[in-house]
Amino acid sequence: MKQILPNITPKLSQTSPIIQVNNLHKHYGKIVAIKGINFTVHRGEMFALIGPDGAGKTSTFHILGGVMEATAGEILVCDQPARSARLMTGYLTQQFSLYLDLSIDENLNYAAGLRQVPDHLFKERRQKYLKLMNLDKFGSRLAGQLSGGMKQKLALCCSLISQPEILLLDEPTTGVDPVSRREFWDVLAELSAEGMTIIVATPYLDEAERCHRVALMYSGEIHEIGTPQELRNNLGLHRLEVRTEKLEITEEVLLKSEEKNLVDVQIFGDRLDVLVEDITLAEMQVNQLLQQNKLPLPDIEHGEPTLENVFVTRLREQGSVPQFFPFPRFRKRGKSATKEIAIYAHKLNRIFGKFQAVKDVNVEVRYGEIFGLLGANGAGKTTTIKILCGLLEASGGEISLGGETGNLRSAELRKRIGYMSQKFTLYDDLSIIQNLEFYSGVYGVPRKLRREKIDWVIATCGLQGKENMVTGQLPGGWKQRVAFGASVMHEPDILFLDEPTSGVDPLARRQFWKLINDFARNGTAILVTTHYLEEAEQCNRMSFMVAGETVVEGSPSFIKASQPGQLIEIIVNENQVASRLLKKQFASWRVSIFANSLHIVLDDPKTEIHQVRQLLEDNNITIHSLRNIPFSLEDAFIGIVQRTTDN
């Protein structure tokens, strides 16, 4: 293991470790999940475990939480065995740990009872944490009626009600929208500042950038530990941000290049991220390669590598990058090869009792197009998809699917549609191969083609030799990959993907979008929802939904360019303190922490930049840099949602 000497804040480094993990092993029969890992965590530290699906992170959490015994090795939590320290540990698991038929208050009461919290402390903490999570007005609401983001916030409140010294969070924001994600991490930063020790696993590496230290784990081992900055520096590479209208062709040209200086190339939102050894030489090489292929010269900016770059590069060095296998197509395209409308809805409505979940929504998706349906948790996206693919009746409006306007549930139409739902569509008590055989039968894949289609799914998921594993034993990211494969084996003309990459690691996300783009290029109409807005930039068009209504529609570039105000990036010496100060002066949604920088949205930058500088300088905050930057899609999304909600 390459151990980087920690460079955390003096406050943390001066304390003795609150968690010590020594030579930890975990075996499940012949499967070795953890292979002798070592690390320590200090009081008040935010420590991240990152790694691909199946790396051993969840097993580590189970042992840290005292719910599973190690095969070998030692874990000390507050100088005690982990099992003896359970009352000092809060644990938020990957799966929701709530009782959906109980209210918010009843769930909190139950958690407090289990942890033996006295009544007077319960009332005090209930008020504190519900207010912190913006849930204080919803105490009587059933947990089952909450959006995904609100459920995660409630689950965190239940973990915090005993005021634990240590908080274990296993992928806490999977399926949580960007607004709630930012709020969630602001809460964690406050708890850490108060002295709580937090260990978190996350597939979203922009979140890991906010931690004091990060451990990169794969194949059951920890290979590198350090601060985010140390991991980036240790990579020894530079990053070019390449922007061009010919993004896919440019990526193909650079990938085919034999220039060893160009280490990695990937589409990332509306740009290419190019990792290079020599940044000056690389800029010249990129321009030369595009000129040789008669492509327009791009806009190129220099940037430092991200944690995602570190993650991908290190796994590539280990040979862990999943191979791309072309989809075995047998069916000739008819209508779907044209640009005709595949999915159409006009003034779509859906009412549940007195609640209107979808309000006059319009959708139009053509064959060969990727359309993103985006919105906060509870905005109505999943309801809209279920109506469009015939799983729910509309309360009003016009619908056309694949040219069919009448029976959207006909057997013929269903053979032309693929649907990957937000919840896993697989049967946990069946093996992987049994699930795939079942779906190939349901979708009417001809028997002579089934073996090749199933083999493609297994190979694409990297599960060769594991076909007979019970699906319920798979990590969440692998389940998502198998579920995607099951939904496309029959070569659908129309594909609905509801949060397909939720909880999936960066390498698998890359592979997902290669496949999604491949299906679109071959004529499939794709409607996709996602909370990871960097990947949503790959959509041709998109719409944002708020409270059941469409509030904006257009290309990613149009939506970003139409944002009012200016986005400012500020780099200071005290991120958390500066963020807290700015949120007292400006609406909290306008200020967010991004890795080692702050982003702030200003409607009147000429006047407000002076206010920002004055506020920070008056509080002895050193400003290292302050500059205008373009809106990301996530910044645009949060601004649109918040402005609409405020109105």
Side-chain angles (χ1 to χ4, degrees):
M1 180 186 80
K2 188 181 289 182
Q3 175 86 24
I4 301 174
L5 292 175
N7 182 27
I8 53 182
T9 64
K11 178 184 175 185
L12 297 177
S13 59
Q14 287 170 4
T15 62
S16 60
I18 194 170
I19 294 174
Q20 300 177 65
V21 177
N22 301 312
N23 198 28
L24 181 66
H25 290 259
K26 181 61 185 178
H27 301 174
Y28 300 97
K30 295 181 180 179
I31 298 172
V32 180
I34 304 174
K35 305 173 185 176
I37 63 173
N38 301 277
F39 64 91
T40 59
V41 185
H42 296 267
R43 188 177 300 278
E45 185 176 11
M46 279 207 289
F47 184 90
L49 269 179
I50 62 173
D53 301 317
K57 304 184 297 295
T58 295
S59 293
T60 302
F61 272 82
H62 284 339
I63 298 168
L64 282 170
V67 298
M68 180 188 287
E69 292 289 350
T71 304
E74 180 185 50
I75 286 188
L76 292 177
V77 178
C78 300
D79 295 321
Q80 303 176 58
R83 200 166 188 83
S84 302
R86 282 181 295 178
L87 284 178
M88 290 181 267
T89 305
Y91 184 14
L92 181 56
T93 63
Q94 271 189 35
Q95 304 301 321
F96 288 136
S97 51
L98 304 172
Y99 292 92
L100 301 184
D101 54 349
L102 297 183
S103 69
I104 287 177
D105 279 335
E106 287 168 338
N107 269 285
L108 282 173
N109 262 306
Y110 179 73
L114 284 179
R115 294 306 188 106
Q116 303 168 16
V117 178
D119 286 346
H120 70 285
L121 289 178
F122 169 72
K123 289 175 183 175
E124 179 186 311
R125 292 172 188 174
R126 175 205 173 276
Q127 182 65 18
K128 174 184 176 180
Y129 291 125
L130 288 186
K131 190 171 184 180
L132 199 59
M133 308 286 180
N134 294 318
L135 293 174
D136 50 316
K137 297 176 183 176
F138 307 104
S140 60
R141 185 175 295 184
L142 293 180
Q145 294 175 349
L146 301 176
S147 68
M150 292 173 80
K151 282 177 182 169
Q152 287 293 71
K153 288 179 184 178
L154 174 57
L156 181 57
C157 284
C158 291
S159 300
L160 293 172
I161 203 68
S162 63
Q163 207 147 306
E165 293 189 43
I166 295 144
L167 187 59
L168 306 175
L169 304 171
D170 194 3
E171 300 190 5
T173 60
T174 294
V176 175
D177 67 73
V179 176
S180 296
R181 231 168 31 104
R182 283 195 184 179
E183 291 174 350
F184 196 96
W185 275 87
D186 284 345
V187 169
L188 295 186
E190 291 291 335
L191 294 170
S192 172
E194 291 173 5
M196 189 175 289
T197 303
I198 299 169
I199 304 182
V200 60
T202 175
Y204 303 110
L205 299 193
D206 59 324
E207 295 182 345
E209 297 264 13
R210 294 185 64 167
C211 294
H212 295 103
R213 286 188 302 145
V214 177
L216 176 56
M217 186 174 187
Y218 45 91
S219 302
E221 298 177 276
I222 291 178
H223 292 257
E224 201 166 359
I225 296 179
T227 68
Q229 188 62 53
E230 287 167 342
L231 295 188
R232 289 192 294 266
N233 291 345
N234 195 53
L235 190 62
L237 298 173
H238 307 278
R239 182 169 62 91
L240 296 180
E241 293 183 4
V242 179
R243 289 179 169 84
T244 172
E245 292 180 3
K246 305 285 187 181
L247 208 58
E248 288 182 6
I249 301 174
T250 300
E251 181 191 34
E252 190 177 336
V253 166
L254 296 183
L255 283 172
K256 287 181 178 177
S257 163
E258 295 182 359
E259 301 285 0
K260 292 182 179 178
N261 186 44
L262 306 181
V263 177
D264 183 44
V265 182
Q266 70 157 321
I267 289 178
F268 209 83
D270 62 346
R271 69 177 191 266
L272 285 174
D273 265 13
V274 185
L275 284 186
V276 302
E277 293 178 353
D278 184 320
I279 200 163
T280 306
L281 175 62
E283 191 167 347
M284 183 179 68
Q285 290 171 332
V286 168
N287 284 324
Q288 285 178 347
L289 285 165
L290 297 191
Q291 280 180 327
Q292 290 168 10
N293 287 272
K294 299 180 181 178
L295 292 169
L297 291 180
D299 292 325
I300 299 178
E301 291 182 22
H302 297 179
E304 71 170 345
T306 64
L307 268 186
E308 185 150 326
N309 296 141
V310 174
F311 180 100
V312 171
T313 303
R314 293 303 187 214
L315 265 68
R316 175 177 283 111
E317 289 170 357
Q318 298 293 317
S320 299
V321 176
Q323 190 176 344
F324 181 80
F325 296 94
F327 182 73
R329 288 184 171 82
F330 296 95
R331 194 158 60 83
K332 290 184 178 180
R333 291 288 181 193
K335 271 188 184 179
S336 55
T338 74
K339 289 294 181 182
E340 291 182 26
I341 295 173
I343 306 168
Y344 173 82
H346 181 65
K347 289 191 174 297
L348 191 66
N349 286 278
R350 174 66 199 198
I351 299 170
F352 296 96
K354 294 180 180 179
F355 175 65
Q356 188 164 3
V358 179
K359 307 172 187 176
D360 293 332
V361 166
N362 299 319
V363 176
E364 193 175 287
V365 187
R366 298 179 182 275
Y367 290 107
E369 184 178 30
I370 303 172
F371 184 89
L373 191 62
L374 309 179
N377 294 117
K381 307 181 300 297
T382 297
T383 301
T384 300
I385 285 181
K386 286 181 176 178
I387 295 169
L388 291 174
C389 64
L391 294 177
L392 267 180
E393 291 287 343
S395 302
E398 301 173 29
I399 305 174
S400 171
L401 189 61
E404 177 66 59
T405 56
N407 182 12
L408 300 186
R409 300 188 179 192
S410 71
E412 278 305 306
L413 182 58
R414 286 188 176 277
K415 288 179 182 178
R416 297 174 52 204
I417 297 170
Y419 175 47
M420 181 178 170
S421 75
Q422 195 179 90
K423 303 296 181 185
F424 296 128
T425 50
L426 305 172
Y427 293 94
D428 281 352
D429 53 349
L430 296 182
S431 68
I432 297 166
I433 196 80
Q434 287 170 335
N435 266 291
L436 294 174
E437 286 171 346
F438 171 76
Y439 277 103
S440 63
V442 166
Y443 279 126
V445 177
R447 287 192 175 277
K448 62 181 180 181
L449 305 179
R450 287 183 190 177
R451 187 71 257 169
E452 187 171 357
K453 298 291 183 96
I454 290 172
D455 286 347
W456 174 82
V457 177
I458 297 294
T460 295
C461 296
L463 290 170
Q464 296 99 323
K466 300 178 181 176
E467 299 93 330
N468 294 314
M469 275 184 68
V470 174
T471 307
Q473 296 176 349
L474 289 176
W478 271 342
K479 274 189 184 178
Q480 290 289 76
R481 285 182 251 186
V482 176
F484 177 84
S487 69
V488 299
M489 283 192 295
H490 59 300
E491 304 182 41
D493 293 334
I494 299 167
L495 184 57
F496 293 95
L497 302 172
D498 197 2
E499 297 186 24
T501 63
S502 180
V504 171
D505 69 63
L507 279 173
R509 276 203 301 270
R510 277 193 184 194
Q511 188 183 45
F512 259 107
W513 278 92
K514 277 187 179 180
L515 292 167
I516 290 168
N517 280 300
D518 182 55
F519 274 91
R521 281 192 291 270
N522 280 275
T524 301
I526 300 171
L527 191 151
V528 60
T529 74
T530 177
H531 288 317
Y532 194 67
L533 296 190
E534 286 280 7
E535 68 185 20
E537 301 236 28
Q538 297 193 50
C539 297
N540 304 108
R541 290 183 306 113
M542 61 182 57
S543 69
F544 287 0
M545 290 182 71
V546 177
E549 298 181 88
T550 300
V551 293
V552 67
E553 183 177 328
S555 68
S557 298
F558 168 80
I559 289 172
K560 288 184 293 186
S562 63
Q563 293 311 295
Q566 178 64 54
L567 184 64
I568 309 294
E569 179 194 73
I570 311 170
I571 297 178
V572 296
N573 62 327
E574 292 281 355
N575 244 10
Q576 190 62 38
V577 177
S579 172
R580 198 180 298 128
L581 286 168
L582 290 169
K583 285 182 178 181
K584 290 179 181 177
Q585 183 87 14
F586 301 92
S588 61
W589 69 264
R590 294 179 178 272
V591 183
S592 56
I593 294 176
F594 267 73
N596 63 338
S597 68
L598 287 169
H599 286 190
I600 181 166
V601 178
L602 301 177
D603 284 348
D604 183 11
K606 287 184 180 178
T607 304
E608 292 172 328
I609 281 179
H610 174 72
Q611 294 175 13
V612 169
R613 284 187 181 276
Q614 195 69 48
L615 178 65
L616 296 179
E617 288 169 3
D618 286 350
N619 287 274
N620 299 315
I621 302 292
T622 303
I623 301 173
H624 296 304
S625 72
L626 188 153
R627 64 179 182 131
N628 295 351
I629 58 172
F631 280 93
S632 70
L633 197 57
E634 182 169 310
D635 288 308
F637 174 90
I638 289 172
I640 289 167
V641 170
Q642 295 289 2
R643 290 176 198 273
T644 304
T645 305
D646 291 346
N647 292 335

